[in-house]
């Protein structure tokens, strides 16, 4: 059936403009990562020089190393705490559910800047000096809430009869959890882990405040080199990270779709 | 399994996350409050802050005209940014929820969220190329005769404004989309069956039902925008200021934690007041909705 829908055409044109608006800076970054010039944003010609130069820049390599380690530690914390909480929130509507939801809401709406200031004061106060741990904890506060929400959404879509059956058949609770609940939650856990990793990997504000000398993350390095003049290697490493995250995002999308399908099957 | 055991297991899995947040986030927020009443210690002392006299001095300084003006600029920039985010986001969310088939929706949503997977910093830097006085946009506008001389918005509040809208637009689209998707298409159908024009249906059915989503998106965008540090730092130059930059300056460079903490407290209070106002708006909107639905029935 084909009807004339001038409003629909207008809306589609608008969406195209918005998507263009959202993507233009990404194209600019990708194009300029192939800039031959010494200064990133002054175009002098095409070259892949900076892609090789990334591996000669020790600051990039060491901050990248810090970023990846902090992101992984943050994922480990967020996934464990967030999965436990997410399943419990979906399964049991106890007295503690409301206050907990409130606390989770607080975590989500606290401006990052405010949270970061509090953390730098508090971490210094309690003498938490390990830069890597400070970054990981700082990032995990938000990501625990993120994982909890994603896991909760999946747990709500799957009835708990399988877990109960395992219990009826004599499995101790921890065994039912490990062998039944966790596998069922796996798509949500993986999606949550990927999002938590990306959040941490790209985080500027918390990292800027809680970092210690010698444990800067990559975004903090990029921000600090902005003042001295950005070079092409920064764009090259970001484009490489983009290629990597694209692969991860596709994996996440496929897993979420699988999750949605198995949800409708049960 | 005993009953007691079952009830105790209910809250046990919530405990680790709750404890984690209590120890690291709630304590951090409390320490902002405590520090805001301290004073910057002399350079010779070990502790950065003294609490010998609890003082309101930081608040007095944070509320001095210079800072108040920056607070005002921040709220204005965040407010205008939120308005445009909602304005730009609504048609997109409306299109997705009414005219795009369910198979296509996840992919389009994925495309809209996709920029978040690319370094926030470099995307913001990229605007410096696009907006540069001798850049592509500037030359295109000059060729069209819309401006004379180079484009001069880099390192001004306007550039910050644009960066804010750019960065938080996807955040605004999602909640509005969720609200619109929940509206039963039968309601719109019923409205047009009863003889309402498309515009009447939109104004009297769709818009009121979408208002809670719009307000939710507004609150989210506003909080994120008001606390932003990166956009003003990169696009604002010396003239584009937001309070996030001043707070960061006090804490990271001037080492004046108490003043930074007091400024953060004022930001929190301002956001809380605005949040409560919006929440009240939302309650009113829900009431009106119910009344409208009641009247329709």
């Amino acid at each position: 059936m084909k009807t004339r829908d001038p409003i629909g055409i207008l809306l589609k044109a608008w969406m195209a403009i918005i998507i263009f608006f959202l993507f233009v800076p990404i194209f600019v970054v990708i194009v300029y990562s192939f800039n031959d010039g010494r200064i990133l944003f002054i175009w002098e010609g095409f070259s892949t020089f900076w892609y090789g130069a990334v591996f000669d820049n020790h600051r990039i390599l060491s901050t990248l190393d810090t970023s990846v380690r902090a992101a992984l530690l943050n994922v480990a914390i967020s996934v464990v705490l967030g999965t436990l909480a997410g399943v419990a929130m979906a399964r049991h509507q106890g007295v503690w559910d409301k206050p907990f939801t409130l606390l989770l809401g607080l975590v989500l709406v606290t401006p990052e800047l405010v949270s970061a200031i509090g953390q730098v004061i508090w971490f210094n106060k309690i003498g938490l000096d390990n830069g890597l741990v400070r970054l990981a904890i700082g990032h995990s506060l938000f990501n625990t809430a993120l994982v909890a929400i994603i896991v909760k959404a999946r747990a709500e879509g799957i009835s708990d009869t399988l877990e109960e059956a395992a219990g009826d058949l004599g499995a101790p609770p921890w065994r039912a959890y490990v062998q039944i609940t966790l596998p069922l939650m796996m798509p949500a856990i993986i999606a949550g882990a990927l999002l938590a990793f990306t959040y941490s990997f790209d985080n500027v504000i918390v990292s800027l405040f809680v970092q210690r000398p010698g444990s800067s993350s990559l975004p903090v390095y990029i921000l600090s080199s902005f003042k001295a003049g950005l070079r092409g290697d920064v764009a090259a490493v970001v484009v490489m990270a983009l290629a990597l995250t694209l692969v991860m995002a596709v994996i996440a999308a496929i897993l979420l779709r699988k999750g949605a399908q198995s949800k409708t099957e049960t | 399994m005993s009953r007691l055991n079952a009830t105790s297991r209910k809250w046990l899995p919530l405990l680790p996350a709750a404890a984690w947040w209590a120890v690291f986030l709630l304590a951090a927020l409390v320490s902002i409050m405590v520090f805001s009443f301290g004073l910057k210690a002399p350079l010779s002392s070990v502790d950065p802050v003294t609490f010998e006299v609890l003082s309101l001095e930081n608040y007095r300084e944070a509320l001095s005209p210079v800072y108040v003006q920056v607070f005002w600029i921040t709220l204005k920039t965040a407010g205008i940014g939120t308005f445009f985010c909602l304005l730009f986001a609504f048609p997109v969310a409306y299109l997705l929820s009414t005219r795009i088939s369910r198979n296509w929706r996840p992919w389009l949503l994925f495309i809209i969220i996709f920029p978040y997977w690319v370094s926030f910093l470099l995307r913001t830097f990229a605007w410096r190329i696009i907006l540069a006085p001798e850049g592509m946009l500037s030359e295109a506008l000059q060729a069209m005769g819309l401006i004379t001389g180079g484009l001069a918005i880099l390192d001004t509040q306007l550039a910050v404004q644009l960066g804010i809208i750019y960065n938080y637009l996807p955040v605004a689209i999602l909640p509005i989309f969720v609200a619109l998707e929940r509206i039963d298409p039968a309601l719109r159908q019923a409205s047009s069956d009863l003889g309402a024009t498309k515009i009447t249906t939109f104004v009297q059915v769709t818009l009121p039902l979408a208002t809670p989503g719009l307000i939710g998106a507004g609150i989210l965008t506003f909080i994120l925008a008001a606390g932003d540090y990166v956009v003003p730092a990169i696009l604002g130059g010396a003239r584009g200021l937001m309070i996030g930059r001043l707070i960061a300056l006090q804490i990271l460079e001037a080492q004046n934690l108490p003043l930074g903490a007091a400024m953060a407290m004022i930001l929190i209070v301002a956001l809380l007041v605005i949040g409560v106002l919006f929440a009240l708006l939302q309650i009113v909107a829900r009431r009106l909705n119910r009344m409208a639905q009641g009247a329709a029935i």
Side-chain angles (χ1 to χ4, degrees), chain B residues 243-260:
Chain B
I243 203 65
R245 266 183 96 182
L246 291 191
I247 297 178
L249 198 73
Q250 289 304 331
I251 290 181
L252 298 174
E253 278 162 48
Q255 300 290 327
N256 194 341
L257 292 178
L259 181 56

Side-chain angles (χ1 to χ4, degrees), chain B residues 120-135:
Chain B
F120 173 57
L121 275 173
L122 277 196
R123 276 186 294 130
T124 312
F125 285 131
W127 279 105
R128 293 198 68 89
I129 302 185
I130 301 166
L131 299 176
E134 61 283 355

Side-chain angles (χ1 to χ4, degrees), chain A residues 5 8 14 21-25 28-29 41 81 100 106 111 114 117-118 122 140-141 198 202 208 219 226 238 242, chain B residues 14 16 20-21 23 26-28 32 88 91 99 111 114 117-122 125 127 129-130 166 229 247 251:
Chain A
D5 179 17
W14 179 250
F21 175 61
L22 291 175
F23 275 77
V24 162
V28 169
V29 170
F41 288 155
L81 302 183
F100 187 83
L106 178 77
V114 170
I117 294 163
W122 181 239
S140 75
L141 295 172
T198 341
D202 196 28
L208 183 67
F226 167 60
V238 166
L242 167 64
Chain B
L14 298 177
W20 192 250
W21 287 328
V23 169
L26 294 183
I32 297 180
F88 292 169
R99 283 176 171 81
I111 288 172
F114 179 79
W117 271 287
V118 184
S119 167
F120 173 57
L121 275 173
L122 277 196
F125 285 131
W127 279 105
I129 302 185
I130 301 166
Y166 171 75
Y229 163 77
I247 297 178
I251 290 181

Side-chain angles (χ1 to χ4, degrees), chain B residues 50-151:
Chain B
T50 64
F51 294 100
E52 280 164 21
V53 277
L54 288 186
S55 145
L56 288 172
E57 187 50 44
N58 302 308
Y59 285 93
R60 195 173 305 140
E61 193 173 345
L63 288 171
S64 64
V66 185
Y67 289 130
V68 167
Q69 204 199 344
V70 179
F71 271 114
W72 172 239
I73 292 173
T74 304
L75 295 182
K76 205 173 80 180
T77 308
I80 295 173
T82 304
F83 173 77
F84 279 105
C85 278
L86 296 181
L87 191 70
F88 292 169
F90 191 88
V92 176
Y94 184 72
L95 173 72
L96 279 172
S97 61
T98 57
R99 283 176 171 81
I100 302 287
S101 79
R102 282 181 189 280
N103 292 336
W104 277 95
R105 281 179 204 173
W107 294 106
L108 283 167
L109 283 172
F110 178 73
I111 288 172
I112 288 164
I113 305 299
F114 179 79
Y116 278 101
W117 271 287
V118 184
S119 167
F120 173 57
L121 275 173
L122 277 196
R123 276 186 294 130
T124 312
F125 285 131
W127 279 105
R128 293 198 68 89
I129 302 185
I130 301 166
L131 299 176
E134 61 283 355
M136 312 164 244
L137 183 65
S138 177
E139 275 167 15
L141 289 175
Q142 284 178 69
M144 284 188 276
L146 290 171
I147 53 168
T148 50
L151 193 63

Side-chain angles (χ1 to χ4, degrees), chain A residues 4-5 7-9 11-12 14-15 18-19 21-26 28-29 32 40-41 77 81-82 84-86 88-89 92-94 96-97 100 103-104 106-111 113-115 117-126 128 136-137 140-142 144-145 148 173 177 194-195 198 202 204-205 208-209 218-220 222-223 226-227 230 234-235 238-239 241-242 245-246 249-250 253 257, chain B residues 1 9-11 13-29 31-32 35 47 51 87-89 91-92 94-96 98-100 103 106-108 110-130 136 162 165-166 169-170 173 198 219-220 223 226-230 233-235 243-245 247-248 251-253 257 260-261 264 267-268 271:
Chain A
R4 289 177 69 85
D5 179 17
I7 298 170
I9 294 169
L11 287 171
K12 277 176 189 155
W14 179 250
M15 183 158 81
I18 291 294
I19 289 175
F21 175 61
L22 291 175
F23 275 77
V24 162
I26 299 174
V28 169
V29 170
Y32 276 78
L40 174 58
F41 288 155
I77 298 167
L81 302 183
L84 281 171
M89 284 171 80
H92 321 289
Q93 301 292 325
W96 290 102
D97 216 57
F100 187 83
L103 181 59
L104 187 128
L106 178 77
V107 175
L108 291 177
V109 300
T110 304
L113 182 73
V114 170
S115 164
I117 294 163
Q119 284 167 47
V120 70
I121 295 174
W122 181 239
F123 289 174
N124 289 351
K125 189 83 206 155
I126 58 176
L128 180 64
I137 292 178
S140 75
L141 295 172
F142 179 81
T144 299
Y177 204 87
L194 289 175
L195 285 178
T198 341
D202 196 28
V204 184
I205 297 180
L208 183 67
F209 280 82
L218 182 62
V220 172
I222 296 177
L223 184 66
F226 167 60
K227 283 163 198 154
L230 287 175
V234 168
V238 166
V239 172
L242 167 64
T245 25
L246 248 178
V250 169
R257 276 180 79 86
Chain B
M1 178 189 333
R9 274 204 306 141
K10 279 182 182 175
W11 55 266
L14 298 177
L15 195 62
W20 192 250
W21 287 328
V23 169
F24 291 112
L25 189 70
L26 294 183
L29 295 178
S31 53
I32 297 180
F35 262 53
D47 273 324
F51 294 100
L87 191 70
F88 292 169
V92 176
Y94 184 72
L95 173 72
L96 279 172
T98 57
R99 283 176 171 81
I100 302 287
N103 292 336
W107 294 106
L108 283 167
F110 178 73
I111 288 172
I112 288 164
I113 305 299
F114 179 79
Y116 278 101
W117 271 287
V118 184
S119 167
F120 173 57
L121 275 173
L122 277 196
R123 276 186 294 130
T124 312
F125 285 131
W127 279 105
R128 293 198 68 89
I129 302 185
I130 301 166
M136 312 164 244
L162 182 91
I165 296 170
Y166 171 75
L169 189 54
I173 292 176
K198 275 186 177 163
I219 295 175
L220 200 63
I223 290 176
D228 204 340
Y229 163 77
V230 174
I234 293 173
L235 296 177
I243 203 65
R245 266 183 96 182
I247 297 178
I251 290 181
L252 298 174
E253 278 162 48
L257 292 178
L267 179 66
I268 296 172
L271 288 178

Side-chain angles (χ1 to χ4, degrees), chain A residues 8 15 40 50 67 82 85 114 118 151 159 225 235 239 258:
Chain A
M15 183 158 81
L40 174 58
W50 290 110
S67 275
V114 170
V151 169
S159 80
S225 56
V239 172
K258 259 195 183 158

